[in-house]
């Protein structure tokens, strides 16, 4: 249809329009929008404006005029007679607004639109406002605008504790909306640049104001376009391209690791562990992936030089492991922007977020200072710009520094659910007054006459395991490990079982443990003394020189005679005179002498086992753990100390390892497809080789050819005879870096090499000894019960077992991270309480502008920068033979009380440091102390 016929058709349809449409059309027909002078309301009329109240405003509205472009093919026109000419029939002011006004938003100033909101036609359209913004493709948008996200609703949302009650029709709401960057021509949509070029056809090529053309793109605009492209991410490749690339070894797959001290640097392990990890430089190359995500990487600097580290970029995210949530602070933008605020995560590996005003807490804009120390939980909604992501506030956590708030923040940050079990599961397990039925006792082995006891930490509530030792007539010993039979009470395929499987592990924070099982069930299953308990037992016949002759499994009934702490057992092993005086209460007719003799035998056996295990190629890298004395009134730490592994700890450790290895073989033999096992993949051979090279000039010869050789070469420097604790801490930390995480897996479809446990140097391993705090152990118990004909073989699908293993791996890592964060927080509290805290630190690494140290007293890693605050001069002497050989030469300026002092710092140097709580209340400020 020609333009003339269209016009005639529309004129003929004018008669059928309703009176409301006529009235509104007559009010808007004279609106003029000039692209060169956007924001001004133009009137052609020169009629003198009356001076009565509101008369000027009424006259302006009356004489408003739309001045349309000459190009009738790209835009509709408004005729002076009030007839609207368009490519489609328009029969309402609503259509007029959609077709004429909304396409101009991207090129119109917010000031103009703010004024526009007061016009009658706009007020008429308030009820249709949301529909206008559904045409998102017509808007130029910055990556951080909330309206451009598919999941964003224009109706204001609210956080659970900070409700926002704006009405979409209120003047205040419209005023805020008019200031939104979506409606401001100063912003460009970096992620849809080409679309904006096409959109320019909607804008007039010429204005009717003097016939002047719009300014063409200049060099500055080209530079802006390039900057926008640099700030935007590349699109992901398709799943089909990923499959082809992985098969042809063009692409690599792996878990992403981001350096917590330098978020611009991230790594993906090469499939060949002898090669160096692939380095991903910058946020753009990381391409929206976060810590732990399974990503597909393309190499971008393929080189013939084998020594040069490969660089790559993320082209696809195969699995988003990271939750995209974070804890942080909410602040106003420097320009006091009313539409978006800045969210600063505590974890620097997560990008800063732009938070739209619809998520702000009550009165945030006017009372922003009141929220300076308020922690929020936020979620990444989308991410287009390398500088900022788009996010939303989920909830208010509380005030920084508060003990309860910090615990909640840690749990939220690590995605751990500590919601108590509800009443719906209470009838799925017995009450605490449960009495073992005689029928159950008859089908079990009765071990209530054995001298059985537990050895645990002093504050332990979950007693999973107990041990026993009985001398046989042939002179050998029958040693038993008795594990709580949790699977007897936790039935499969119930709501409770599903919830426990989802939690997967007990979470241990400094001040509290969050149990995997309901508290009552924990109490019911724990092997407390003086009470009959159900257990799953492993027995070995062992000679006096610790040779294992045979073993057997049995479901048992036991009656523990006492609950020992490690200190009680250590007092016996050390033959302390007061060992009997400090001994706990005894039950079941046993005496101190009975327990004493059993502990002695078990201690002797365990020491032989331990020695043999390391001689046969096992590896142990001690990671120091900090414990706290908490004030019972305030909950704050009064003191702290480093956990020390003693013979009593090793006694229990050796027999638990023996039980796990014994069960693993039986489970795999009987259930080769469903066996729930645990492996430890080999470490990065490249990193170990580089570490060995760097330590060799220091007189430390590391043999990294196997786990056993590594341990034996470390032993002189980290063993019990070594007196340099700082040096041992550094070596343990350096050797732990190349190691991989142990993981649970389903045996089906795995090669024999995949089963191996690197650190233990055993072909098969699993977890059996802690079912109260680990769901993995419950899975193993169910398989072993089937092996012993206590129940039918589970009808599990392999995929289900794999999913459970994945959940157990995820939760175990998250719980470990939560425990570390809790320890860091209480260490911070201790330092705050005792600031300034001066102590020894050992140097781990020397760089050009900083050194990394370990605080010996609390096993805390810190980085000390040499900047303008340092009272002297510093110079890093690099060594081409390796970074570990670099030195830092310091010259401390003379003061009134001290002369000029020179100091040389290198790896393993012991230095004095001063610790203070940082101004942001979440970190430790570490300074080097002037040597005396």
């Amino acid at each position: 249809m020609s333009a003339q016929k269209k016009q005639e058709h529309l004129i003929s349809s004018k008669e059928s329009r309703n009176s409301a449409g006529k009235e509104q059309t007559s009010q808007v027909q004279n609106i003029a929008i000039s692209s060169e002078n956007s924001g001004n309301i133009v009137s052609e009329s020169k009629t003198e404006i009356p001076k009565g109240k509101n008369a000027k405003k009424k006259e302006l509205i009356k004489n408003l005029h739309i001045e349309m472009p000459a190009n009738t093919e790209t835009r509709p026109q408004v005729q002076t007679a009030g007839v609207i000419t368009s490519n489609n029939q328009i029969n309402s002011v609503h259509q007029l607004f959609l077709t004429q006004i909304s396409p101009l938003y991207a090129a119109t100033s917010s000031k103009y639109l703010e004024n526009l909101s007061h016009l009658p036609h706009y007020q008429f359209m308030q009820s249709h406002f949301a529909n206008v913004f559904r045409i998102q493709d017509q808007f130029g948008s910055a990556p951080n605008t909330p309206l451009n996200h598919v999941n964003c609703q224009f109706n204001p949302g609210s956080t659970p504790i900070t409700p926002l009650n704006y009405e979409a029709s209120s003047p205040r709401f419209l005023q805020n909306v008019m200031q939104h960057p979506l409606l401001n021509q100063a912003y460009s949509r970096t992620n849809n640049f080409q679309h904006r070029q096409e959109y320019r056809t909607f804008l007039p090529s010429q204005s009717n104001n003097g016939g002047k053309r719009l300014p063409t793109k200049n060099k500055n605009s080209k530079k802006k376009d390039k900057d926008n492209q640099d700030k935007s991410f590349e699109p992901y490749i398709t799943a089909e391209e990923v499959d082809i690339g992985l098969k042809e070894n063009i692409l690599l797959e792996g878990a992403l690791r981001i350096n917590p001290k330098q978020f611009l640097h991230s790594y993906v392990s090469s499939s060949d562990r002898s090669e160096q990890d692939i380095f991903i430089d910058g946020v753009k190359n990381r391409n929206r992936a976060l810590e732990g995500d399974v990503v597909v990487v393309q190499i971008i600097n393929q080189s013939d030089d084998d020594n040069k580290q490969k660089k790559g970029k993320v082209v696809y995210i195969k699995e988003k492991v990271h939750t995209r949530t974070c804890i942080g602070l909410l602040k106003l933008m420097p320009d006091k922007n009313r539409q978006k605020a800045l969210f600063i995560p505590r974890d620097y590996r997560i990008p800063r977020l732009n938070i739209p005003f619809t998520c702000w807490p009550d009165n945030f804009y006017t009372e922003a200072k009141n929220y300076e120390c308020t922690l929020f939980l936020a979620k990444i909604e989308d991410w287009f710009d390398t500088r900022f992501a788009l996010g939303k506030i989920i909830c208010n956590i509380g005030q920084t520094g508060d003990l309860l708030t910090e615990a909640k923040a840690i749990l939220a940050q690590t995605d751990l659910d500590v919601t108590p079990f509800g009443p719906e599961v209470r009838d799925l397990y017995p009450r605490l007054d449960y009495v073992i039925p005689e029928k159950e006792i008859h089908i079990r082995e009765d071990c209530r006459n054995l001298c059985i006891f537990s050895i645990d930490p002093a504050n332990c509530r979950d007693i999973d395991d107990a041990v026993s030792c009985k001398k046989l007539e042939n002179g050998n010993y029958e040693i038993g490990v008795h594990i709580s039979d949790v699977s007897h009470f936790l039935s499969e395929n119930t709501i409770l079982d599903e919830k426990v499987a989802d939690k997967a592990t007990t979470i241990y924070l400094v001040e509290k443990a969050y149990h995997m099982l309901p508290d009552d069930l924990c109490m019911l299953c724990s092997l407390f003394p003086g009470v009959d308990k159900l257990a799953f037992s492993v027995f070995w016949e062992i000679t006096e020189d610790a040779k294992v002759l045979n073993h057997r499994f049995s479901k048992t009934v036991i009656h523990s005679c006492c609950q020992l702490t490690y200190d009680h057992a250590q007092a016996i092993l050390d033959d302390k005179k007061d060992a009997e005086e400090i001994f706990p209460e005894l039950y079941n007719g046993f005496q101190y002498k009975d327990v004493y003799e059993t502990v002695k035998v078990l201690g002797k056996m365990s020491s032989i086992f331990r020695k043999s295990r390391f001689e046969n190629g096992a590896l142990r890298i001690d990671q120091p753990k900090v414990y706290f004395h908490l004030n019972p009134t305030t909950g704050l730490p009064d003191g702290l100390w480093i956990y020390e592994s003693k013979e009593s700890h090793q006694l229990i450790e050796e027999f638990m390892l023996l039980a796990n290895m014994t069960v693993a073989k039986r489970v795999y033999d009987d259930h080769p497809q469903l066996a729930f096992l645990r492996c430890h993949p080999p470490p990065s051979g490249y990193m170990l080789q580089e570490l060995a090279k760097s330590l060799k000039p220091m007189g430390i010869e590391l043999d990294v050819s196997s786990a056993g050789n590594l341990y034996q070469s470390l032993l002189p420097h980290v063993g019990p005879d070594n007196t340099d604790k700082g040096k041992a801490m550094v070596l343990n930390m350096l050797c732990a870096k190349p190691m991989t995480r142990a993981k649970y897996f389903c045996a089906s479809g795995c090669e024999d090499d995949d089963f191996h446990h690197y650190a233990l140097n055993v072909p098969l391993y699993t977890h059996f000894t802690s079912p109260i705090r680990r769901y993995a152990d419950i899975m193993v118990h169910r398989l072993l019960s089937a092996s012993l004909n206590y129940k039918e073989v589970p009808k599990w699908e392999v995929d289900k077992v794999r999913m459970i293993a994945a959940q157990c791996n995820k939760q175990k890592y998250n719980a470990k991270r939560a425990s570390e964060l809790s320890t860091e927080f209480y260490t911070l509290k201790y330092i705050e309480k005792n600031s300034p805290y001066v102590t020894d630190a050992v140097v781990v690494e020397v760089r050009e502008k900083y050194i990394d140290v370990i605080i010996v007293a609390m096993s805390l890693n810190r980085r000390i920068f040499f900047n303008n605050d340092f009272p002297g001069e510093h110079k890093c002497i690099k060594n081409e033979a390796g970074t570990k050989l670099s030195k830092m030469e310091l010259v401390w300026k003379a003061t009134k009380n001290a002369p000029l002092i020179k100091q040389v710092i290198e790896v393993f140097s012991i230095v004095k440091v001063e610790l203070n709580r940082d101004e942001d209340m979440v970190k430790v400020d570490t300074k080097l102390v002037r040597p005396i």
Side-chain angles (χ1 to χ4, degrees):
M1 183 181 292
S2 65
Q4 183 177 359
K5 289 182 179 181
K6 289 181 183 177
Q7 184 173 354
E8 291 174 358
H9 176 74
L10 289 173
I11 292 175
S12 64
S13 65
K14 177 182 175 182
E15 302 292 337
S16 62
R17 294 183 180 174
N18 56 44
S19 58
K22 290 181 179 179
E23 181 181 354
Q24 294 298 330
T25 303
S26 65
Q27 291 181 7
V28 302
Q29 62 182 352
N30 293 322
I31 296 178
I33 299 178
S34 171
S35 59
E36 289 187 354
N37 192 22
S38 61
N40 297 325
I41 300 179
V42 183
S43 174
E44 296 290 342
S45 173
K46 297 182 180 181
T47 306
E48 185 177 352
I49 300 174
K51 298 181 180 181
K53 186 178 180 180
N54 294 327
K56 183 177 181 179
K57 181 177 179 180
K58 292 178 181 178
E59 190 66 23
L60 281 172
I61 294 174
K62 180 178 179 181
N63 293 308
L64 286 177
H65 173 68
I66 290 183
E67 191 168 338
M68 302 306 296
N71 187 349
T72 59
E73 293 182 0
T74 58
R75 296 184 58 179
Q77 293 183 347
V78 177
Q79 297 183 352
T80 56
V83 180
I84 304 170
T85 303
S86 174
N87 291 333
N88 298 309
Q89 292 189 9
I90 302 174
N91 55 13
S92 68
V93 176
H94 173 59
Q95 293 296 330
L96 171 67
F97 191 82
L98 290 179
T99 56
Q100 293 198 128
I101 304 301
S102 61
L104 298 175
Y105 281 177
T108 306
S109 71
S110 59
K111 181 69 178 176
Y112 169 78
L113 293 166
E114 181 179 345
N115 293 332
L116 182 67
S117 66
H118 299 289
L119 295 181
H121 91 275
Y122 197 91
Q123 295 172 1
F124 177 80
M125 288 307 304
Q126 287 177 9
S127 61
H128 302 286
F129 199 74
N131 292 330
V132 174
F133 282 91
R134 290 195 184 106
I135 311 180
Q136 294 183 4
D137 289 342
Q138 296 182 2
F139 303 138
S141 168
N144 45 33
T145 47
L147 296 183
N148 197 46
H149 190 267
V150 294
N151 293 328
C152 283
Q153 299 296 326
F154 195 76
N155 293 332
S158 65
T159 63
I161 61 173
T162 55
L164 301 173
N165 297 318
Y166 294 129
E167 292 292 338
S169 60
S170 67
R172 180 181 178 82
F173 179 83
L174 293 174
Q175 182 181 4
N176 287 335
V177 169
M178 290 306 108
Q179 297 174 14
H180 196 278
L182 186 66
L183 309 182
N184 193 323
Q185 62 183 355
Y187 282 79
S188 64
R189 187 173 184 177
T190 60
N191 208 44
N192 198 4
F193 182 75
Q194 184 177 358
H195 177 79
R196 285 176 50 77
Q197 304 303 311
E198 297 171 355
Y199 168 67
R200 292 178 187 275
T201 58
F202 287 91
L203 300 178
S205 59
Q206 294 181 352
S207 72
N208 289 337
N209 187 10
K212 296 180 180 179
R213 293 182 61 87
L214 289 173
T216 58
K217 183 180 284 188
N218 54 27
K219 292 182 180 180
N220 289 335
S221 63
K222 290 181 179 179
K223 183 179 179 182
K224 288 181 180 179
D225 292 342
K226 186 177 184 302
D227 290 342
N228 289 336
Q229 291 174 358
D230 290 340
K231 294 167 187 172
S232 62
F233 296 104
E234 292 184 10
Y236 295 128
I237 63 176
T238 64
E240 291 77 10
E241 290 173 322
V242 168
D243 292 338
I244 295 172
L246 292 175
K247 288 178 181 178
E248 297 180 356
N249 293 323
I250 299 173
L251 305 175
L252 297 171
E253 178 184 332
L256 184 77
R257 307 189 318 275
I258 305 174
N259 188 338
K261 295 178 181 177
Q262 175 52 278
F263 68 90
L264 294 176
H265 296 168
S266 53
Y267 304 87
V268 173
S269 296
S270 173
S271 55
D272 184 353
R273 299 299 287 153
S274 64
E275 293 186 0
Q276 193 173 8
D277 289 347
I278 298 164
F279 175 53
I280 299 172
D281 187 14
V283 176
K284 182 171 182 177
N285 284 334
R286 182 150 44 94
N287 206 355
R288 292 159 283 179
L290 292 177
E291 176 73 17
D293 287 351
V294 179
V295 298
V296 177
V297 176
Q298 178 185 342
I299 304 300
I300 57 177
N301 73 326
Q302 195 72 15
S303 174
D304 295 333
D305 186 359
D306 294 336
N307 296 323
K308 188 174 181 180
Q309 186 173 23
K310 292 180 180 178
K311 290 185 179 181
K313 63 179 181 180
V314 175
V315 294
Y316 190 80
I317 300 180
K318 205 165 188 180
E319 182 183 356
K320 289 186 177 180
V321 176
H322 195 282
T323 61
R324 270 58 185 169
T325 59
C326 52
I327 298 293
L329 301 173
L330 187 65
K331 296 184 177 181
L332 287 177
M333 292 289 188
D335 62 353
K336 306 299 181 183
N337 195 302
R338 287 181 175 271
Q339 302 308 312
K340 59 183 179 180
L342 180 65
F343 185 85
I344 306 174
R346 278 186 168 181
D347 188 344
Y348 295 146
R349 296 173 294 183
I350 300 174
R352 294 189 172 193
L353 308 182
N354 282 338
I355 306 295
F357 70 94
T358 53
C359 292
W360 292 358
D362 292 338
N363 304 318
F364 172 70
Y365 189 83
T366 57
E367 301 176 8
K369 287 188 177 181
N370 294 340
Y371 290 95
E372 286 181 349
C373 295
T374 302
L375 288 178
F376 293 94
L377 175 65
K379 183 176 180 64
I380 297 176
E381 289 287 277
D382 222 328
W383 194 1
F384 300 106
D385 193 309
T386 57
R387 301 163 300 171
F388 302 98
L390 168 65
K392 69 176 182 180
I393 298 295
I394 297 176
C395 66
N396 182 327
I397 300 293
Q399 296 299 299
T400 58
D402 177 72
L403 298 181
L404 181 59
T405 295
E406 293 291 344
K408 289 165 58 180
I410 288 170
L411 294 169
Q413 181 176 341
T414 50
D415 190 32
L416 292 170
D417 180 18
V418 295
T419 306
F421 290 91
E424 70 276 6
V425 303
R426 188 59 194 86
D427 294 332
L428 298 177
Y429 58 91
R431 307 281 175 174
L432 287 176
D433 57 359
Y434 171 78
V435 176
I436 302 173
E438 286 296 324
K439 181 180 179 181
E440 185 66 32
I441 294 176
H442 288 323
I443 64 174
R444 291 174 176 261
E445 182 175 347
D446 194 341
C447 296
R448 289 177 290 182
N449 60 335
L450 293 178
C451 180
I452 297 175
F453 53 87
S454 59
I455 305 176
D456 289 290
N459 59 348
C460 180
R461 286 185 56 197
D462 306 332
I463 306 178
D464 294 275
D465 57 87
V467 291
S468 66
C469 180
K470 179 179 71 173
K471 191 161 187 177
L472 302 175
E473 293 180 359
N474 61 6
N476 295 333
Y477 293 94
E478 184 179 68
I479 295 178
V481 166
H482 312 275
I483 308 300
S484 174
D485 192 2
V486 176
S487 62
H488 176 79
F489 300 104
L490 184 63
S491 300
E492 281 192 74
N493 302 320
T494 62
I495 297 175
L496 177 59
D497 186 48
E498 291 176 2
K499 289 180 178 291
V500 172
D502 192 51
K503 290 179 181 288
T505 184
T506 293
I507 304 155
Y508 294 98
L509 303 187
V510 169
E511 77 287 358
K512 186 177 180 181
Y514 295 91
H515 298 285
M516 176 185 76
L517 299 174
D519 288 346
D520 288 355
L521 187 54
C522 285
M523 297 289 288
L524 181 64
C525 294
S526 290
L527 305 182
F528 294 120
V531 185
D532 288 351
K533 294 288 183 177
L534 300 180
F536 216 148
S537 303
V538 187
F539 296 95
W540 301 271
E541 183 179 349
I542 304 177
T543 63
E544 285 194 359
D545 56 351
K547 294 288 190 289
V548 178
L549 302 180
N550 55 66
H551 67 268
R552 63 186 178 88
F553 306 96
S554 179
K555 285 208 171 189
T556 57
V557 180
I558 67 170
H559 192 109
S560 176
C561 67
C562 65
Q563 180 181 350
L564 301 184
T565 66
Y566 287 121
D567 290 338
H568 293 140
Q570 193 62 45
I572 293 175
L573 294 171
D574 293 341
D575 289 319
K576 289 187 176 180
K577 294 181 180 180
D578 63 344
E580 186 173 1
E581 296 176 8
I582 64 172
F583 215 69
E585 186 176 358
L586 287 157
Y587 301 89
N588 205 24
F590 289 98
Q591 304 298 318
Y592 169 75
K593 182 180 179 182
D594 299 318
V595 178
Y596 173 88
E597 291 176 352
T598 302
V599 170
K600 281 290 190 180
V601 173
L602 294 176
K604 177 185 174 182
M605 296 287 185
S606 66
S607 62
I608 298 173
F609 284 149
R610 187 177 181 83
K611 181 181 178 182
S612 175
R613 190 161 60 83
F614 288 115
E615 287 177 351
N616 290 330
L619 166 69
R620 180 180 181 86
I621 298 177
D622 288 316
Q623 297 292 297
K625 184 172 177 59
V626 181
Y627 284 85
F628 297 88
H629 288 293
L630 299 183
N631 187 298
T633 303
T634 63
L636 296 173
D638 289 334
L640 54 76
W641 77 97
I642 299 291
Y643 167 88
E644 184 180 357
S645 179
K646 297 184 178 180
E647 190 179 352
S648 57
H649 301 85
Q650 296 163 8
L651 182 157
I652 292 299
E653 180 185 12
E654 290 304 317
F655 284 108
M656 297 305 116
L657 288 173
L658 182 60
N660 287 334
M661 289 185 284
T662 306
V663 171
K665 187 176 186 311
R666 178 62 182 269
V667 166
Y668 181 62
D669 288 344
D670 293 346
H671 313 283
Q673 296 299 309
L674 299 178
F676 198 93
L677 303 174
R678 185 168 176 81
C679 68
H680 183 204
S684 168
Y686 177 86
M687 293 179 69
L688 282 178
Q689 291 286 354
E690 291 299 305
L691 177 61
K693 287 179 184 178
S694 64
L695 293 177
K696 189 173 182 178
M698 302 180 188
I700 301 174
E701 296 276 354
L702 284 189
D703 184 350
V704 297
S705 59
S706 68
N709 291 341
L710 176 59
Y711 178 77
Q712 295 300 329
S713 59
L714 271 175
L715 200 56
H717 309 285
V718 303
D721 298 332
N722 176 60
T723 57
D724 192 344
K725 291 184 178 179
K727 184 177 182 181
M729 280 185 173
V730 172
L731 286 174
N732 280 326
M733 191 202 77
L734 293 175
C735 290
K737 276 188 175 181
M739 297 298 158
T740 54
R741 295 179 201 160
K743 61 182 180 181
Y744 299 108
F745 68 101
C746 176
S748 177
C750 294
E751 301 292 336
D752 290 345
D753 291 344
D754 298 332
F755 291 33
H756 188 77
H757 196 291
Y758 174 81
L760 295 176
N761 193 29
V762 294
L764 287 172
Y765 189 69
T766 193
H767 273 164
F768 165 78
T769 56
S770 297
I772 294 179
R773 63 185 180 91
R774 292 188 305 228
Y775 190 77
D777 301 57
I778 295 175
M779 294 286 288
V780 174
H781 277 225
R782 288 168 177 168
L783 290 171
L784 186 58
S785 293
S787 294
L788 302 177
N789 297 320
Y790 286 104
K791 60 177 291 186
E792 294 182 358
V793 177
K795 296 179 181 179
W796 298 335
E797 294 182 359
V798 170
D799 286 344
K800 176 187 176 182
V801 180
R802 288 173 178 164
M803 288 177 61
I804 293 174
Q807 179 69 4
C808 289
N809 289 329
K810 172 192 167 188
Q811 293 297 93
K812 185 175 180 65
Y813 172 74
N814 287 348
K816 180 177 181 291
R817 181 64 184 143
S819 181
E820 292 169 348
L821 290 172
S822 180
T823 298
E824 289 177 12
F825 171 70
Y826 274 85
T827 303
L828 181 65
K829 281 292 186 182
Y830 181 79
I831 292 171
E832 178 188 24
K833 186 177 179 181
N834 297 278
S835 291
Y837 187 82
V838 179
T839 185
D840 288 338
V842 58
V843 178
V844 178
E845 191 168 9
V846 176
R847 290 288 183 174
E848 188 172 352
K849 296 182 179 180
Y850 64 84
I851 60 173
D852 285 336
V853 300
I854 298 178
I855 312 302
V856 178
M858 51 191 69
S859 186
L860 184 67
N861 296 333
R862 302 304 306 152
R863 178 165 287 180
I864 302 175
F865 286 94
F866 295 96
N867 46 33
N868 297 333
D869 295 335
F870 180 70
E873 298 177 357
H874 64 89
K875 183 179 181 182
C876 179
I877 309 299
K878 295 183 179 180
N879 193 316
E880 295 182 358
T883 56
K884 295 287 183 294
L885 302 177
S886 300
K887 298 180 180 180
M888 183 72 74
E889 292 185 353
L890 304 178
V891 178
W892 297 78
K893 292 181 179 179
T895 64
K896 292 182 180 179
N897 302 322
L900 182 145
I901 297 177
K902 293 183 178 180
Q903 183 181 12
V904 178
I905 295 174
E906 55 190 338
V907 174
F908 301 136
S909 293
I910 300 295
V911 296
K912 287 284 185 183
V913 296
E914 179 182 300
L915 306 176
N916 291 279
R917 184 151 188 178
D918 205 348
E919 292 179 358
D920 60 7
M921 305 300 284
V922 295
K923 292 183 180 178
V924 176
D925 183 26
T926 310
K927 295 180 180 179
L928 200 63
V929 174
R930 184 188 187 97
I932 299 175

